[in-house]
Amino acid sequence: MSETRVTGADVITAHQDLHSEQGALRGEHPGRSRNPVIKVADLAWLEFQKPDLDRAEVFARDFGFGITARTERELWLRGTFAGSPCMVIRKGRTSRFIGPAFRAAERADLDRLARATGTAVRESDVPGGGKVVDLLDPSGFPVQVVHCGEQLPALPEQQPLLLNFGTNHRRTNAAQRPPREPSRIQRLGHVVLETRVFARALDWYLDTLGMIVSDFLFLDGQRDRGPTMAFVRCDLGSVPADHHTLAMHLGPGTGYVHSAYQVTDLDSIAAGGEYLKERGYRRSWGIGRHIQGSQLFDYWRDPDRFMLEHFADGDLFSRDAEPGWAPMSTSGLAQWGPPATRDFLGASPSPQRVHDVIEALRRDNEMDPARLFGLLKAANS
């Protein structure tokens, strides 16, 4: 685990200590666009398609979501924070991730974005109404940029426990008995995507949506070829934003990896995890604390095998924080916790994964044998 070290007058913060001493090398990616079209303010929601909305609703309640709206064709989920819903599940023949929706800072941003991309502003079907611009990123993911109308009101929170630290005794004559109940989701935090065209996709999000990079990861011995993963945040100026709202990594496939949802604290993560385990759901990896982003984490699979994360206590960076650079490795995923599982890493061979590898090596994209072997090496380091 990184610590704050003091050497003479120099102070090295925990953030800097996790990065290369020099930061970016000359000529490396700056991690932001000089003149983006707009600057999105946050993720709004994620869209999925599933054949069984009843089963999806049962898991959603067990995981800790609130239900905003339910019809025969749609299920809208929310957290306790005021704002927009954080997920929509539409009924369909197969289970698949459709794409993300990002929140525009102002209504006028949609007009600017539509003009720059040759698209149009349309009415949104989000509960409460609003406007949306539909885009397609270089990986082929449909991306919506939305400005919502009516905002959802806040709901009651799961209160953090009052903790005693050393000689700081804040709780006396009272025992701690956190209830065994679902972790109450507060909000959508981030989504992680895999892509064969990492560099093009990254630049698109920086140039079009004005996002900025918090951390780059590169393959051992291949730093000169550029990064293969980026943790990307919203540029809110001097206002601190989540370390990453979007993360992307180069891979043989193109698709959803996982999404993360904030809860109150470690006890909420742990008690909610016990609740999920008792109901037969499968933990993918956890509990632990990440390095890039620093958040406490716990990963689960839903009945359709989508991975979702409970997290708490993540890093917040203002625009002033420059990107960090670090080698990509499995051991570098966590400061503490159990070893990353094969399920979390997607390392278990499957016919679909083998097909993805063959297709990636045959087609015109950023995957080649050297990149593939580098990724395999990182997964085992």
Side-chain angles (χ1 to χ4, degrees):
M1 184 183 300
S2 178
E3 299 175 345
T4 298
R5 297 177 295 159
V6 179
T7 306
D10 297 326
V11 177
I12 301 177
T13 69
H15 175 68
Q16 292 168 329
D17 192 33
L18 294 171
H19 298 20
S20 60
E21 293 181 3
Q22 299 83 17
L25 303 179
R26 183 181 296 275
E28 286 187 318
H29 200 298
R32 59 190 68 192
S33 174
R34 289 182 178 272
N35 188 30
V37 179
I38 66 167
K39 294 182 179 181
V40 293
D42 203 352
L43 262 177
W45 61 80
L46 304 177
E47 295 204 10
F48 293 84
Q49 175 184 287
K50 297 186 177 186
D52 190 339
L53 294 190
D54 291 334
R55 185 174 70 172
E57 182 176 349
V58 170
F59 174 79
R61 293 184 186 276
D62 288 342
F63 196 73
F65 290 104
I67 308 300
T68 296
R70 170 68 197 273
T71 69
E72 290 185 1
R73 305 296 305 176
E74 294 180 350
L75 173 65
W76 288 87
L77 309 178
R78 65 161 297 173
T80 58
F81 285 1
S84 67
C86 56
M87 185 187 295
V88 56
I89 304 173
R90 304 185 191 276
K91 190 174 181 64
R93 294 178 60 185
T94 60
S95 293
R96 66 186 183 97
F97 173 67
I98 298 174
F102 291 87
R103 179 168 61 84
E106 299 178 357
R107 169 63 182 84
D109 286 341
L110 298 187
D111 298 321
R112 186 179 305 111
L113 184 61
R115 287 194 301 270
T117 58
T119 55
V121 180
R122 66 169 176 86
E123 295 289 334
S124 173
D125 63 352
V126 63
K131 302 289 185 178
V132 61
V133 171
D134 296 299
L135 305 172
L136 196 68
D137 81 1
S139 303
F141 291 112
V143 174
Q144 297 181 53
V145 180
V146 303
H147 190 266
C148 296
E150 181 182 345
Q151 299 290 298
L152 298 172
L155 297 177
E157 291 287 335
Q158 215 167 17
Q159 294 302 311
L161 298 185
L162 195 63
L163 303 179
N164 289 328
F165 295 100
T167 58
N168 182 12
H169 300 154
R170 303 171 61 202
R171 189 186 79 256
T172 59
N173 296 328
Q176 294 280 40
R177 300 292 185 268
R180 191 71 58 85
E181 63 182 8
S183 305
R184 203 169 304 172
I185 301 299
Q186 294 175 324
R187 64 183 180 95
L188 168 63
H190 63 259
V191 64
V192 180
L193 304 174
E194 178 178 323
T195 176
R196 299 173 183 172
V197 290
F198 170 80
R200 283 201 289 130
L202 174 64
D203 286 345
W204 185 88
Y205 282 95
L206 306 191
D207 293 337
T208 308
L209 304 187
M211 305 181 81
I212 55 180
V213 175
S214 298
D215 279 287
F216 283 119
L217 300 184
F218 57 88
L219 294 176
D220 184 39
Q222 298 186 35
R223 181 167 180 172
D224 60 323
R225 295 190 62 185
T228 49
M229 185 166 187
F231 297 87
V232 188
R233 70 186 185 275
C234 296
D235 181 0
L236 305 182
S238 62
V239 177
D242 286 335
H243 172 272
H244 56 286
T245 295
L246 169 69
M248 291 188 300
H249 69 80
L250 178 66
T254 297
Y256 168 94
V257 179
H258 75 260
S259 51
Y261 304 86
Q262 180 177 293
V263 299
T264 300
D265 58 12
L266 179 59
D267 280 278
S268 175
I269 291 175
E274 292 300 302
Y275 183 90
L276 288 169
K277 185 169 64 175
E278 289 172 352
R279 279 149 184 80
Y281 299 109
R282 185 159 68 89
R283 175 180 271 128
S284 179
W285 181 35
I287 299 171
R289 186 181 282 277
H290 279 306
I291 293 182
Q292 277 79 22
S294 302
Q295 65 266 38
L296 298 161
F297 66 81
D298 195 19
Y299 295 90
W300 292 84
R301 293 284 185 181
D302 77 0
D304 297 282
R305 289 201 47 78
F306 290 108
M307 191 188 303
L308 292 86
E309 174 190 2
H310 284 143
F311 81 93
D313 189 34
D315 289 339
L316 299 170
F317 288 176
S318 71
R319 191 181 195 278
D320 300 325
E322 294 293 328
W325 288 75
M328 198 173 186
S329 69
T330 296
S331 60
L333 291 173
Q335 301 180 46
W336 57 261
T341 64
R342 291 180 63 83
D343 179 72
F344 175 81
L345 296 171
S348 299
S350 67
Q352 181 60 52
R353 200 60 172 166
V354 173
H355 177 269
D356 287 343
V357 170
I358 294 172
E359 284 297 300
L361 294 177
R362 290 172 58 185
R363 295 185 179 275
D364 182 18
N365 54 62
E366 295 168 27
M367 285 296 298
D368 56 35
R371 285 305 212 190
L372 178 60
F373 291 135
L375 290 169
L376 292 172
K377 180 181 177 182
N380 290 283
S381 62

